[in-house]
Amino acid sequence: MLEQRLTAEQMQEVRFLEHLGWRFLRDADPKVQAIRFEPGFPCRYETLLAAQQDGALVIRFPAQPTDKQLQAFGERLPSISNSVASRCAYKHRIALAVRRAVDRLVRLTEAQRYKFPKYLFGAVDSPWFRMRMPQPEWQLKDRVWVAKDSARAAMDTFYRRGATAECYGGQAIAVFSIQYELYGPEAFDKVFAGDDLAIGRPLDIKSTPLGKLTHWTARFPWRALMIPEKEQRRDSLLVLARHGRMAFVGLSGIVRNQKADVQSNENFIITSISKRALDDAVKGGGLPHFSKQMTQVWEAAAPGRGLLALPSKKRAAAKRVDELLAQPIFTELMLYVHPYGDIPLADIVRKKLEKVDTPLEVVIYAHGREDGLYQRYREAFRKGWLTPSGATRSTEPVPAR
């Protein structure tokens, strides 16, 4: 019916929605006269299959829709593709790509081919931005490492030979690795040009194709993939939490000191967050809740610091720190951080307790890069580059109830 009544361009959009997991059905009830949209909340489910089984991502048509109804439906298709529900369906594909990418990066680190830069004869982690990517597939241009020719060749070489990078460079590599796993090698090479794979200091990458989508002051229709422009002044955690836990998977961010002049940080990719952790963060008011709790951690640790602290004081402080770090926001928020791997936030806090005596905060990078990548994925489908063997397949769709 749709193929006979919609344009070829509109049918491309229909097939993209079907690719994401939407189902198109005729309603058996002859009394139903309107087209009904039943997006549900796909990000609240562990898998796309579970969301579909619970009735999400369904568009129901009357038994005999009118030409006017189908024309209006065709005009609405781009907005459906850009809806939160469609973005959530895409997030399920991202989640699988995150898992595969992180597993590969961890194995590369364990094999000692992907390293953190050192100084003092290799005894101490370098506090400065230092990187070295494998050449000649990567080249240094204007202080930014970029793929020389083929994006695929650059990533294949990295997976084979590794690199040296601190956590900010490691975060960028993880972003590209996730996209590589999402598309598969052949489609990845079609979607990404060499200059797209740009890794460098924050200010140095701002003029690159993807780096320009990370400007905090720029205007973007969507931030963090699911925050529309009208809500971009709100706490990003609170906005994303309404959609569900899956909304956070694959987002990047930083654990840093609350004092701006203390340069101690860890850049991360979110791999998962539990419902308990998310509920506690929402109840506590969003991202400021992390700052409040981590301030309590530092205050609890203070009596046990220093060479002159009594053993009893050290034991009491350690016990209190353990109690605070046992909260779900610390143990059930999982982050990929180079070179530590996939670890809970609590592990990052403990590492910082040993080095810096000021509290931390958590920042989620709510910028336009995720929407830019989603639009590339959508365009790649329209061009026929996403094949069953190349693109990530989350689950087979199930019949709607």
Side-chain angles (χ1 to χ4, degrees):
M1 177 190 71
L2 294 178
E3 287 177 345
Q4 293 173 355
R5 314 281 278 280
L6 299 182
T7 66
E9 185 175 356
Q10 289 170 339
M11 280 307 302
Q12 275 191 325
E13 210 73 60
V14 167
R15 294 188 179 97
F16 175 64
L17 292 173
E18 204 167 26
H19 169 77
L20 291 179
W22 284 88
R23 283 133 326 139
F24 302 84
L25 305 171
R26 285 183 189 263
D27 203 302
D29 186 351
K31 295 181 180 179
V32 173
Q33 297 297 316
I35 299 175
R36 294 187 300 174
F37 295 86
E38 300 171 7
F41 297 91
C43 277
R44 295 181 182 178
Y45 297 84
E46 194 71 22
T47 66
L48 182 61
L49 178 61
Q52 291 174 321
Q53 288 175 330
D54 211 25
L57 299 171
V58 173
I59 301 176
R60 298 185 189 274
F61 294 83
Q64 298 296 330
T66 66
D67 288 343
K68 186 176 181 179
Q69 285 177 319
L70 290 175
Q71 181 181 353
F73 170 71
E75 293 170 353
R76 188 177 175 181
L77 280 166
S79 66
I80 301 173
S81 290
N82 274 313
S83 68
V84 167
S86 293
R87 291 164 183 266
C88 274
Y90 166 77
K91 268 287 187 177
H92 281 282
R93 293 176 176 271
I94 288 290
L96 293 175
V98 166
R99 184 73 275 145
R100 286 201 296 270
V102 167
D103 287 347
R104 292 188 73 171
L105 294 173
V106 169
R107 290 198 301 271
L108 199 61
T109 302
E110 290 174 345
Q112 298 188 1
R113 296 201 302 275
Y114 185 27
K115 301 178 180 180
F116 199 93
K118 303 283 187 178
Y119 76 119
L120 291 180
F121 304 103
V124 182
D125 287 348
S126 174
W128 304 287
F129 182 94
R130 293 174 59 195
M131 282 199 69
R132 186 167 185 82
M133 299 298 289
Q135 297 173 294
E137 289 81 5
W138 293 82
Q139 63 180 349
L140 191 60
K141 186 167 65 175
D142 297 328
R143 298 195 302 179
V144 176
W145 285 97
V146 296
K148 184 178 180 181
D149 296 308
S150 160
R152 173 185 178 175
M155 288 304 298
D156 286 345
T157 302
F158 162 73
Y159 279 138
R160 189 173 64 254
R161 293 168 51 193
T164 299
E166 46 62 76
C167 66
Y168 184 73
Q171 182 187 71
I173 290 172
V175 169
F176 300 136
S177 183
I178 291 166
Q179 292 297 307
Y180 182 93
E181 297 298 332
L182 174 70
Y183 284 98
E186 293 182 7
F188 180 81
D189 212 30
K190 294 177 180 177
V191 174
F192 291 87
D195 286 349
D196 287 328
L197 274 60
I199 307 171
R201 293 175 178 85
L203 292 179
D204 292 336
I205 67 166
K206 294 302 182 184
S207 60
T208 64
L210 292 177
K212 67 184 180 183
L213 300 179
T214 64
H215 281 275
W216 284 104
T217 57
R219 292 185 64 178
F220 299 112
W222 295 84
R223 288 180 177 268
L225 187 66
M226 295 185 192
I227 305 177
E229 196 165 5
K230 64 181 180 181
E231 294 188 288
Q232 289 173 8
R233 293 184 179 275
R234 295 192 59 212
D235 183 285
S236 57
L237 184 143
L238 295 179
V239 178
L240 294 169
R242 292 203 315 265
H243 307 308
R245 296 183 298 119
M246 195 61 65
F248 293 87
V249 177
L251 293 182
S252 57
I254 187 171
V255 179
R256 68 185 183 190
N257 288 89
Q258 293 179 23
K259 291 186 178 180
D261 60 340
V262 180
Q263 297 299 315
S264 177
N265 53 67
E266 299 289 352
N267 292 274
F268 62 76
I269 299 288
I270 298 175
T271 59
S272 69
I273 184 170
S274 73
K275 187 177 186 305
R276 288 200 311 168
L278 186 54
D279 288 347
D280 285 355
V282 170
K283 186 178 180 180
L287 289 173
H289 181 62
F290 288 90
S291 300
K292 293 175 185 176
Q293 294 304 311
M294 286 197 274
T295 297
Q296 290 187 29
V297 170
W298 255 255
E299 291 172 348
R305 289 197 185 99
L307 297 175
L308 300 180
L310 296 173
S312 60
K313 292 284 189 181
K314 287 181 178 291
R315 288 193 297 270
K319 181 180 179 181
R320 180 56 181 152
V321 167
D322 287 343
E323 291 172 351
L324 289 168
L325 291 183
Q327 298 178 79
I329 63 166
F330 292 116
T331 60
E332 298 173 16
L333 170 58
M334 300 297 294
L335 310 172
Y336 169 74
V337 179
H338 174 66
Y340 308 121
D342 190 10
I343 59 176
L345 174 61
D347 285 12
I348 294 296
V349 178
R350 290 186 190 281
K351 290 178 185 297
K352 294 304 178 186
L353 273 174
E354 300 170 359
K355 299 178 180 179
V356 184
D357 61 355
T358 59
L360 298 173
E361 63 180 355
V362 173
V363 176
I364 294 175
Y365 290 153
H367 44 49
R369 183 174 60 194
E370 281 69 31
D371 179 57
L373 292 172
Y374 175 63
Q375 299 305 337
R376 285 194 185 207
Y377 187 81
R378 183 179 167 200
E379 184 62 20
F381 182 89
R382 293 166 65 90
K383 291 180 177 178
W385 292 344
L386 300 183
T387 62
S389 60
T392 299
R393 298 179 65 82
S394 51
T395 58
E396 291 298 328
V398 298
R401 296 184 303 178

